[in-house]
């Protein structure tokens, strides 16, 4: 089978003329377009015809190394995916399993599709890409692409595991965009994709910050303290409780920093905060069933670890290294370093 000809037909190498071009290309137009596709099955089906598709195989995204050596998701046209499915003896209806995940800067609706029933190696070769585990992909891709494949995988996973109504046991049916599932029972209960709220906090005593590690973390990696919110809790209550449980400290001031969707191991909504403890009360009482270790780190130690980055594969990991740049923990630690540097410079 010649690889080049099918590839030329299926890969989205140039933006196409779209249904969306009647709107301006502003952010507002894109968001309204996406919202309409969630509500209007026919409009969504039409957008798929002009859309881009990102393929997954059993929840692993299909990536390709670009000419500059950086990775990107392989993007296919709708007819390209049809060609692919026909080539592998699988027919049209599967395309309807695709899920709306966004809208490109060129105003093309973006979808994802899991072709887990096809031969992984053969599809990868056909598309000149590689299916790569999401955790690895997330850190190989630039930020926006990493977020897109994480969102896509989370939605695919949610659909794969929510085929039945938890109240009646009857099958659920998705809308065309895949933004909800409705129970086929008389209750017509609507289910929406779920994320678990998690608070993540970088504690400071004014001159040092607190990082901990779970036994399951890669060797040497330390991160900000994190914990799932319990039912009925505010974010602040969850933060106070988690810090008390994990390291035995009482938190003072709390400030919001930033948030992120975190796909591992299942979708969490991470809310990143800074908080302080009194310099007079920094003695740790670590709950070893939750954390293997927790320590206070100086600005010099944090600056050095940020500069050293994530250890390369194969070599011995350093004693301490920090979460990679796509993680909200990395963002919190960088913010703390920058603030401490500004404070030192102003003294
Ligand atoms: N993006 C980032 O920068 C970072 C992200 N994280 C993420 O934050 C999340 C939470 O951190 P972690 O310290 O593990 O949380 P916790 O300190 O809350 O401990 C995890 C334990 O909480 C229990 N739990 C309560 N609610 C849930 C729920 N909805 N889903 C799963 N477990 C629940 C489970 O215990 P049991 O089974 O015994 O009930 C689980 O083992 C993790 O998924 C981690 O990947 C963490 C650090 C950095
Ligand atoms: Mg925790």
């Amino acid at each position: 089978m010649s690889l080049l000809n099918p590839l030329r037909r299926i890969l989205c190498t140039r933006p196409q003329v779209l249904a969306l071009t009647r709107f301006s290309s502003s952010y507002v137009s894109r968001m309204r377009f996406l919202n309409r596709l969630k509500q209007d099955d026919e409009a969504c089906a039409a957008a798929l015809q002009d859309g881009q598709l990102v393929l997954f195989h059993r929840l692993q995204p299909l990536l390709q190394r670009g000419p500059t050596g950086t990775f990107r998701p392989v993007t296919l046209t709708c007819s390209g995916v049809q060609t692919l499915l026909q080539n592998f003896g699988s027919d049209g209806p599967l395309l309807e399993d695709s899920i709306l995940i966004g809208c490109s800067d060129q105003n093309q609706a973006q979808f994802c599709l899991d072709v887990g029933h096809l031969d992984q190696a053969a599809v990868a070769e056909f598309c000149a890409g590689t299916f790569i585990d999401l955790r690895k992909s997330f850190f190989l891709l630039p930020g926006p692409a990493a977020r897109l494949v994480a969102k896509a995988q989370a939605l695919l996973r949610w659909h794969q595991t929510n085929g039945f109504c938890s109240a009646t046991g009857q099958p659920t049916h998705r809308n065309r965009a895949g933004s909800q599932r409705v129970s086929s029972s008389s209750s017509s209960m609507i289910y929406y994709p779920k994320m678990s709220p998690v608070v993540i906090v970088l504690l400071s005593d004014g001159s040092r910050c607190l990082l901990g590690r779970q036994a399951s973390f890669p060797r040497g990696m330390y991160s900000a303290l994190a914990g799932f919110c319990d039912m009925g809790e505010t974010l602040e209550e969850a933060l106070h409780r988690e810090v008390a449980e994990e390291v035995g400290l009482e938190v003072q001031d709390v400030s919001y920093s930033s948030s992120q969707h975190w796909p591992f191991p299942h979708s969490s909504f991470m809310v990143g905060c800074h908080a302080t403890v009194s310099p007079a009360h920094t003695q740790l009482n670590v709950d070893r069933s939750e954390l293997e270790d927790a320590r206070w780190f100086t600005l010099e130690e944090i600056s050095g670890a940020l500069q050293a980055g994530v250890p390369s594969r194969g070599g011995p990991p350093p004693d301490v290294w920090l979460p990679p740049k796509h993680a909200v923990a990395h963002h919190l630690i960088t913010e703390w370093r920058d603030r401490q540097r500004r404070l030192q410079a102003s003294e």
Side-chain angles (χ1 to χ4, degrees):
M1 173 174 59
S2 154
L3 196 65
L4 279 178
N5 284 341
L7 258 184
R8 230 173 250 138
R9 273 185 281 124
I10 67 171
L11 294 179
C12 268
T13 49
R14 286 193 2 233
Q16 296 186 322
V17 181
L18 300 170
L20 181 62
T21 48
R22 63 182 174 274
F23 295 108
S24 79
S25 64
S26 73
Y27 172 78
V28 170
S29 300
R30 288 208 303 277
M31 293 309 109
R32 290 193 173 169
F33 175 62
L34 281 175
N35 198 31
R36 198 178 119 222
L37 300 190
K38 287 183 198 167
Q39 291 162 0
D40 182 338
D41 284 358
E42 272 181 33
C44 191
L48 175 63
Q49 295 305 312
D50 291 318
Q52 302 177 341
L53 283 108
V54 178
L55 287 193
F56 284 71
H57 190 278
R58 299 196 182 153
L59 300 177
Q60 295 188 346
L62 181 64
L63 305 189
Q64 195 175 49
R65 203 190 273 271
T68 57
T70 51
F71 280 87
R72 61 185 179 203
V74 177
T75 321
L76 310 180
T77 61
C78 181
S79 60
V81 173
Q82 256 153 354
T83 306
L84 182 143
L85 294 174
Q86 279 157 11
N87 242 283
F88 286 89
S90 168
D91 222 339
L94 187 86
L95 201 54
E96 290 169 15
D97 294 340
S98 56
I99 292 164
L100 180 67
I101 51 172
C103 180
S104 75
D105 290 343
Q106 291 80 33
N107 297 336
Q108 268 180 297
Q110 296 164 307
F111 295 82
C112 62
L113 179 67
D114 197 308
V115 292
H117 63 302
L118 302 181
D119 182 84
Q120 188 186 67
V123 174
E125 190 194 343
F126 188 84
C127 300
T130 317
F131 289 102
I132 299 181
D133 174 73
L134 183 72
R135 200 173 273 274
K136 205 169 159 201
S137 306
F138 195 70
F139 298 112
L140 284 174
L141 292 168
R147 287 194 290 278
L148 191 74
V149 296
K151 173 180 178 176
Q153 199 234 35
L155 285 168
L156 288 168
R157 185 196 290 278
W158 182 77
H159 281 283
Q160 287 173 11
T161 53
N162 284 271
F164 296 91
C165 172
S166 56
T168 64
Q170 294 297 310
T172 57
H173 298 289
R174 42 165 293 183
N175 63 344
R176 195 60 209 80
S179 59
Q180 57 174 235
R181 299 189 74 92
V182 182
S183 172
S184 53
S185 72
S186 57
S187 73
S188 296
M189 187 111 81
I190 303 176
Y191 293 91
Y192 294 97
K194 281 209 183 71
M195 295 190 281
S196 300
V198 172
V199 64
I200 177 161
V201 57
L202 190 64
L203 282 187
S204 173
D205 71 352
S207 61
R208 301 173 299 170
C209 71
L210 184 72
L211 301 178
R213 55 170 279 108
Q214 295 178 11
S216 59
F217 283 7
R219 218 167 85 212
M221 193 187 88
Y222 279 73
S223 185
L225 303 185
F228 290 94
C229 295
D230 280 350
M231 191 65 85
E233 269 183 336
T234 65
L235 205 63
E236 292 82 355
E237 285 166 345
L239 188 156
H240 284 264
R241 178 184 52 74
E242 281 291 335
V243 172
E245 281 176 8
E246 295 193 352
V247 293
L249 293 176
E250 281 199 39
V251 166
Q252 295 179 327
D253 301 320
V254 175
S255 61
Y256 168 76
S257 161
S258 45
S259 64
Q260 79 172 153
H261 167 239
W262 190 244
F264 316 111
H266 300 292
S267 284
S268 296
F269 179 59
M270 309 287 308
V271 183
C273 296
H274 291 278
T276 58
V277 295
S278 156
H281 298 101
T282 58
Q283 180 71 39
L284 302 178
N285 176 2
V286 179
D287 179 348
R288 301 283 168 192
S289 66
E290 297 225 22
L291 294 179
E292 186 182 75
D293 189 27
R295 291 192 231 159
W296 290 103
F297 288 85
T298 64
L299 175 59
E300 288 65 34
E301 288 172 313
I302 293 293
S303 300
L306 281 173
Q307 205 165 2
V310 173
S312 54
R313 269 172 179 270
D319 287 345
V320 173
W321 56 279
L322 303 175
K325 65 178 188 311
H326 290 345
V328 68
H330 183 99
H331 182 71
L332 291 170
I333 295 167
T334 309
E335 272 184 342
W336 181 84
R337 178 204 58 190
D338 295 345
R339 193 178 309 154
Q340 292 301 117
R341 281 182 174 168
R342 281 197 301 275
L343 276 174
Q344 284 193 353
S346 67
E347 275 167 7

